[in-house]
Amino acid sequence: MFKADYYDGIHPQAQTVRVDIDGQTLVLTNQGQTQRFAVKDCDIQTQFGTGKSAQNKRIIDLPDGSRLESADPDMPICLASVVSQHSRALYFLENHKWSIVLALLGIVFASYVFLTQGIPLLAEGVARTLPASVEQKMGKEALATLDDPTLGYFAPSTLPQAETAAVRDALAQMCAHTKTCPSYRLHFRASPKIGPNAFALPGGDIVMTDELVKLSEQNAELVAVLAHELGHVKQRHALRQALQGTIAGLLVLAVTGDVSSVAAGLPVFMMQMRYTRDMENEADAYALQQLQSACIPPKYFASLMLRLEKTLKGESMPEWLASHPDTQKRIQPFLAPYPACEHV
Amino acid sequence: MQNDQTLDSSTLHPTTSQTPITFTGNASDYFGIWIVNLLLSIVTLGIYSAWAKVRRKKYFYQNTLIDGVGFDYHAKPIAILKGRAIAFGLLMAYNLLAQMSPVLGVVLFILLLLAVPWLVLRGLTFNARNSSHRGLRFDFKSRYVDMAKVFVLYPILVAMSAGLAFPWWSRHLNNTLVNSHRFGLTPFKCEIKLGAIYRIYSKLLILVLLAIIIFPLLLSLGLVGFVFYFLLYPVFLAIGLLFFAEIKVRTSNLVWNNTQLDHVKFVSTQRVRDVFWLYFTNSLALMFSFGLATPWAQIRLARYRLAHLHLAGETQWDNFVGEKKEQVRATGEEIADMFDVDMSFG
């Protein structure tokens, strides 16, 4: 038996009662009167860690809405036979050093898996449901920002009309052959600040810098790079990337947002700035397939890439170089002989 | 017969005029609960989060003691899970239908607006009825019309007044919320004066006016840009946090100090600078620990708040009485069939 404070649910004052556990029955003795309850109808609450200050207290909710609170030293032994397994397990998990360490490791692992696998999947799913008009609006806004003269990224192209028209035609020709290009809008911009580069913005806006055009020796090289950018457009990589950043930020807010902490989202937003290597590989595979089916020798992709690497020597690498450390390995598929072409 | 603890603590301060509220939670114990909650919620893809909520609330409630006796939280996790599933389903349906046609979207928005008072009423009632102290349940008694005024109509008026009516709304909100709560059968009483609440917001008004003057000045000097982002931005954030703490602390003090429950009055003595420092250090700790400091941050905030809240005078618990158990169970069961789900947003 043990002593407990009994609250009847009507009067706020406790009565000291005697509690016995008789098999699967809880027997309550209050001033000589006894009440019996089936243990399965009582909620023997899982206790909390005893820590430094709190007492080792147990609360039992009785089926009639009244309750027992006990800190009697005899109480744990009395209740030992009727405390449920899951209650024991929960108490153990919450209070043992090693289970807490394991839980911590589990959470770190789960966060890692979620960040690297779950969020990209989620972003892909959301990207699929977003209407194309939303994506195009995002691209237009991004281009307008980059075009802002006070920021100094882009200036109007200084290339002769004939030169840009030739690139446009060459790309249009490739697409006419393959018939699988996504819809796109090609823009040329002068950008001493960024140097030779090409970008795919959300919604099909592709920007190529004058510096890249000047670096190329053939239009086929530029078409090869544009085929790679079309790969990003086709897979909606820019949108997915933006969504991933947003989802990761929201997640951090959800986990830590209990105490006003909007700032906690910042590190995550900074994490997701570039395309992942998987996305680059997808775009590469798409480019290779497009070039082959349009009978443009894929080696032009490799030749422009090698020249770029030489010119830049590692400083400010374009996106389609930077996230892939091993250029040699990457250009191998483009140098391999490709199936004979009938059109040429 | 009384329990030993109650006798002990009342004999400890027989002549003192205040009964303290003690908080016995500590960060190291709570860390274990928090991390297990989080892990199980992840492993069960969010389903356990309902059990986690109950466990978390129980920890904070049971570690909050008056005269040596704690509070308790009684919500059934299944009810919370049901509430969340319904909320999630409604949200998905709303998004889908609103996408299908804009007209339908507007109709649904109006329906949602009409449902808000009911949802708030259900949520507050659920929360109050599932909270107890000394075996007596709390309760929330209000009407749809009153909730509609406070949570829909008045916010629209506040927006139309360009925010100048915000303190007036805050007063109404706090008065309504406190006056609708009961401990057992005893209602809480609260009457905040309009002047007092406007005084709280007066400093904020001055700040806004200053900002209106300073911003164009900076713009005309061409100093926005670099200076703004690297110098002024952190300063603005700090000032924002300071005013947030100021409004919260002074409103909280005002509400508690004007609240009465039968013969019991409350004394709240939080200080703006303390709470600002708590918010500030909590934010930093959360940022640098990737959220792992959450249990510590929550515990120290709760400890501060309760350490600065007392009951004035001695508590004569005999003055209070709860509802007859049968009645509570009947209403509870009746509602459980259809609506007894947690619609609160916590």
Side-chain angles (χ1 to χ4, degrees):
Chain A
M1 67 78 103
F2 60 93
K3 277 187 181 169
D5 292 333
Y6 174 72
Y7 294 94
D8 62 7
I10 297 171
H11 303 102
Q13 292 294 7
Q15 294 166 297
T16 306
V17 296
R18 173 197 156 118
V19 182
D20 293 277
I21 301 295
D22 175 15
Q24 288 302 305
T25 309
L26 186 148
V27 185
L28 193 150
T29 313
N30 185 10
Q31 292 173 319
Q33 292 189 315
T34 57
Q35 278 178 284
R36 302 172 79 85
F37 301 98
V39 168
K40 66 171 170 48
D41 298 332
C42 304
D43 179 13
I44 304 173
Q45 293 194 17
T46 306
Q47 59 194 130
F48 287 112
T50 48
K52 305 161 241 173
S53 46
Q55 50 192 338
N56 193 356
K57 189 155 90 180
R58 184 84 78 172
I59 296 166
I60 302 172
D61 289 308
L62 299 174
D64 64 357
S66 56
R67 65 200 257 115
L68 296 167
E69 290 186 17
S70 175
D72 192 324
D74 295 334
M75 176 265 297
I77 309 159
C78 280
L79 288 178
S81 61
V82 289
V83 172
S84 70
Q85 281 302 319
H86 79 260
S87 174
R88 265 177 231 275
L90 187 59
Y91 181 81
F92 180 87
L93 283 177
E94 285 174 355
N95 290 287
H96 280 75
K97 199 170 58 187
W98 291 111
S99 70
I100 290 171
V101 170
L102 274 178
L104 197 56
L105 288 176
I107 284 163
V108 171
F109 176 73
S111 318
Y112 175 78
V113 171
F114 188 73
L115 283 175
T116 56
Q117 313 288 322
I119 291 186
L121 267 177
L122 216 60
E124 213 181 317
V126 176
R128 217 170 285 142
T129 61
L130 269 188
S133 58
V134 174
E135 199 180 345
Q136 278 171 14
K137 208 176 150 208
M138 280 172 66
K140 286 219 165 58
E141 273 162 18
L143 188 59
T145 310
L146 289 165
D147 274 339
D148 188 338
T150 55
L151 292 173
Y153 285 115
F154 287 166
S157 172
T158 56
L159 295 172
Q161 183 72 34
E163 212 173 331
T164 57
V167 179
R168 277 181 211 281
D169 285 347
L171 184 62
Q173 230 169 32
M174 184 194 81
C175 285
H177 271 299
T178 64
K179 296 192 178 66
T180 55
C181 292
S183 75
Y184 66 88
R185 286 163 303 284
L186 180 58
H187 311 271
F188 290 94
R189 294 285 189 275
S191 180
K193 197 165 173 177
I194 297 171
N197 209 335
F199 318 84
L201 300 173
D205 286 290
I206 296 176
V207 185
M208 182 172 262
T209 64
D210 289 2
E211 287 72 14
L212 186 67
V213 178
K214 283 173 194 154
L215 188 75
S216 69
E217 287 171 358
Q218 305 218 21
N219 278 348
E221 288 181 341
L222 297 176
V223 171
V225 169
L226 289 170
H228 171 93
E229 297 306 329
L230 282 176
H232 285 314
V233 172
K234 183 108 184 167
Q235 311 282 348
R236 306 176 89 174
H237 282 163
L239 176 68
R240 276 158 58 182
Q241 202 68 353
L243 286 171
Q244 282 177 26
T246 314
I247 294 171
L250 285 176
L251 186 83
V252 168
L253 264 184
V255 172
T256 65
D258 281 328
V259 187
S260 42
S261 67
V262 185
L266 288 177
V268 180
F269 278 108
M270 284 148 67
M271 207 171 71
Q272 300 264 5
M273 293 298 280
R274 288 176 181 279
Y275 288 132
T276 63
R277 202 193 292 186
D278 283 346
M279 287 181 172
E280 292 303 333
N281 287 340
E282 266 177 47
D284 273 2
Y286 178 83
L288 184 61
Q289 179 254 319
Q290 289 293 97
L291 293 172
Q292 283 176 350
S293 67
C295 289
I296 301 164
K299 66 172 189 210
Y300 288 122
F301 185 75
S303 66
L304 182 60
M305 190 175 270
L306 288 173
R307 200 172 315 124
L308 250 172
E309 205 181 36
K310 220 180 281 169
T311 344
L312 295 172
K313 294 251 163 58
E315 34 171 329
S316 72
M317 301 269 254
E319 49 85 9
W320 37 279
L321 270 180
S323 52
H324 208 302
D326 190 352
T327 310
Q328 280 303 326
K329 196 174 162 194
R330 184 179 175 193
I331 60 175
Q332 279 314 312
F334 288 88
L335 293 173
Y338 66 105
C341 246
E342 293 123 35
H343 318 288
V344 187
Chain B
M1 237 210 284
Q2 280 186 322
N3 87 54
D4 303 340
Q5 279 164 355
T6 314
L7 282 176
D8 279 348
S9 43
S10 48
T11 46
L12 267 175
H13 45 88
T15 51
T16 47
S17 54
Q18 292 194 337
T19 307
I21 301 175
T22 43
F23 182 66
T24 52
N26 68 75
S28 59
D29 283 348
Y30 181 55
F31 186 82
I33 293 156
W34 180 78
I35 201 107
V36 169
N37 274 346
L38 194 57
L39 182 73
L40 293 179
S41 297
I42 291 171
V43 169
T44 59
L45 301 176
I47 291 171
Y48 187 79
S49 67
W51 279 260
K53 179 184 175 177
V54 172
R55 194 81 186 131
R56 181 187 79 225
K57 288 205 123 181
K58 270 187 183 291
Y59 184 79
F60 281 91
Y61 278 41
Q62 290 183 7
N63 278 300
T64 303
L65 313 174
I66 300 173
D67 283 341
V69 183
F71 289 73
D72 204 355
Y73 183 70
H74 304 268
K76 296 271 170 287
I78 291 286
I80 295 174
L81 195 65
K82 246 165 52 183
R84 288 184 177 173
I86 291 172
F88 184 73
L90 286 178
L91 191 72
M92 294 302 278
Y94 176 79
N95 276 336
L96 272 174
L97 292 172
Q99 239 175 35
M100 273 161 56
S101 99
V103 182
L104 205 58
V106 174
V107 173
L108 284 173
F109 181 74
I110 292 169
L111 280 178
L112 187 72
L113 222 52
L114 289 174
V116 162
W118 181 80
L119 289 175
V120 174
L121 184 59
R122 290 285 336 138
L124 290 168
T125 310
F126 181 87
N127 215 30
R129 286 198 186 157
N130 281 309
S131 305
S132 76
H133 181 59
R134 298 174 166 267
L136 263 61
R137 297 289 182 114
F138 287 82
D139 200 358
F140 187 84
K141 284 224 187 299
S142 186
R143 296 175 307 163
Y144 176 91
V145 189
D146 294 319
M147 295 291 109
K149 274 191 212 158
V150 177
F151 289 100
V152 179
L153 184 63
Y154 292 171
I156 295 173
L157 294 182
V158 169
M160 278 160 53
S161 75
L164 286 174
F166 189 87
W168 165 80
W169 174 74
S170 170
R171 163 184 179 253
H172 206 86
L173 170 78
N174 284 299
N175 278 346
T176 308
L177 287 185
V178 175
N179 285 324
S180 306
H181 272 97
R182 287 160 185 231
F183 173 58
L185 293 174
T186 316
F188 284 84
K189 295 239 180 308
C190 178
E191 192 49 58
I192 305 171
K193 297 222 163 55
L194 195 58
I197 198 119
Y198 265 96
R199 231 167 287 139
I200 292 176
Y201 284 85
S202 59
K203 280 188 195 165
L204 189 68
L205 193 69
I206 294 168
L207 183 82
V208 171
L209 289 176
L210 269 178
I212 291 171
I213 299 165
I214 289 172
F215 256 114
L217 204 70
L218 285 173
L219 274 172
S220 66
L221 291 172
L223 284 176
V224 188
F226 179 83
V227 178
F228 179 75
Y229 282 110
F230 293 96
L231 263 157
L232 287 179
Y233 193 59
V235 174
F236 279 161
L237 265 186
I239 293 177
L241 197 62
L242 184 64
F243 273 86
F244 180 70
E246 156 117 4
I247 302 290
K248 272 207 88 120
V249 165
R250 294 186 59 191
T251 307
S252 175
N253 283 348
L254 182 70
V255 172
W256 278 117
N257 292 335
N258 283 288
T259 295
Q260 198 168 347
L261 176 67
D262 196 70
H263 65 286
V264 178
K265 285 188 171 176
F266 297 86
V267 184
S268 176
T269 55
Q270 293 183 40
R271 292 196 309 182
V272 176
R273 72 189 101 143
D274 297 339
V275 172
F276 168 74
W277 184 245
L278 279 172
Y279 283 160
F280 182 69
T281 46
N282 274 357
S283 308
L284 286 184
L286 286 176
M287 228 159 55
F288 288 110
S289 68
F290 292 100
L292 285 180
T294 306
W296 177 76
Q298 289 176 340
I299 290 279
R300 65 200 288 255
L301 212 51
R303 183 180 295 142
Y304 180 85
R305 288 199 178 124
L306 292 170
H308 292 82
L309 183 63
H310 312 273
L311 310 186
E314 275 170 56
T315 45
Q316 289 155 320
W317 293 110
D318 291 324
N319 289 15
F320 300 104
V321 68
E323 254 179 304
K324 286 225 163 52
K325 274 171 271 173
E326 290 74 22
Q327 270 178 345
V328 175
R329 278 179 67 206
T331 27
E333 271 165 12
E334 209 175 283
I335 295 164
D337 285 333
M338 272 179 76
F339 299 124
D340 199 8
V341 289
D342 181 16
M343 286 294 185
S344 66
F345 308 100

